[in-house]
Amino acid sequence: MSDAVETDRPDAKLVLEYEFDAPPAKVWRAVTIPALRERWLPDCDLAGAEPESTITGEEVRYRMRDSEPPFRESHVIFRIEPNEDGGTRFRIIQQACEVTLPRAANSNCCLMRAAA
């Protein structure tokens, strides 16, 4: 396993890499079949149970949400590829979602006036 954390950039991400003896197809099922995925990544940790995107057999992307305020969200990408030993290289990449803050009332932008 190797861990890499890139923190010197605003789009910092956490990367974890694992090597499994299981073939890629078996790891793929564990990541994408909801009943199997629920054992190690419960739906309550996800912003939505359905993946945001999928490249069949290679990559699946979910959106995760913190269970406590301020309920930050992040993207988590699972990448699967065969390794040299016939097993699987499994990479988890987690990156914070962009946060869009509301404008302040005194932001010097155009004023909207209600019609009377």
Side-chain angles (χ1 to χ4, degrees), residues 28 31-32 37 50-62 76-80 90-91 93:
W28 179 255
V31 174
T32 58
R37 191 208 65 237
E50 294 300 315
E52 287 188 323
S53 65
T54 303
I55 301 171
T56 304
E58 297 177 20
E59 179 180 296
V60 63
R61 178 183 184 134
Y62 293 97
V76 63
I77 302 164
F78 300 108
R79 289 196 180 139
I80 296 168
F90 182 62
R91 187 173 292 129
I93 304 162

Side-chain angles (χ1 to χ4, degrees), residues 1-115:
M1 178 179 92
S2 65
D3 298 351
V5 180
E6 300 173 23
T7 58
D8 58 341
R9 300 183 346 221
D11 60 341
K13 58 188 170 186
L14 171 68
V15 178
L16 303 171
E17 190 171 288
Y18 301 90
E19 298 285 331
F20 295 127
D21 293 333
K26 187 173 185 176
V27 176
W28 179 255
R29 287 190 305 270
V31 174
T32 58
I33 295 175
L36 299 175
R37 191 208 65 237
E38 178 73 23
R39 293 179 186 175
W40 60 273
L41 179 60
D43 284 343
C44 64
D45 290 341
L46 298 174
E50 294 300 315
E52 287 188 323
S53 65
T54 303
I55 301 171
T56 304
E58 297 177 20
E59 179 180 296
V60 63
R61 178 183 184 134
Y62 293 97
R63 185 178 278 245
M64 295 184 70
R65 179 179 295 131
D66 287 347
S67 59
E68 297 178 8
F71 304 108
R72 289 178 295 240
E73 292 189 1
S74 61
H75 297 286
V76 63
I77 302 164
F78 300 108
R79 289 196 180 139
I80 296 168
E81 61 186 60
N83 65 19
E84 298 77 30
D85 301 326
T88 302
R89 177 170 297 116
F90 182 62
R91 187 173 292 129
I92 302 170
I93 304 162
Q94 188 169 6
Q95 186 171 15
C97 294
E98 288 185 29
V99 177
T100 306
L101 299 174
R103 288 186 180 214
N106 61 352
S107 66
N108 292 331
C109 67
C110 299
L111 293 176
M112 301 278 293
R113 298 185 189 260

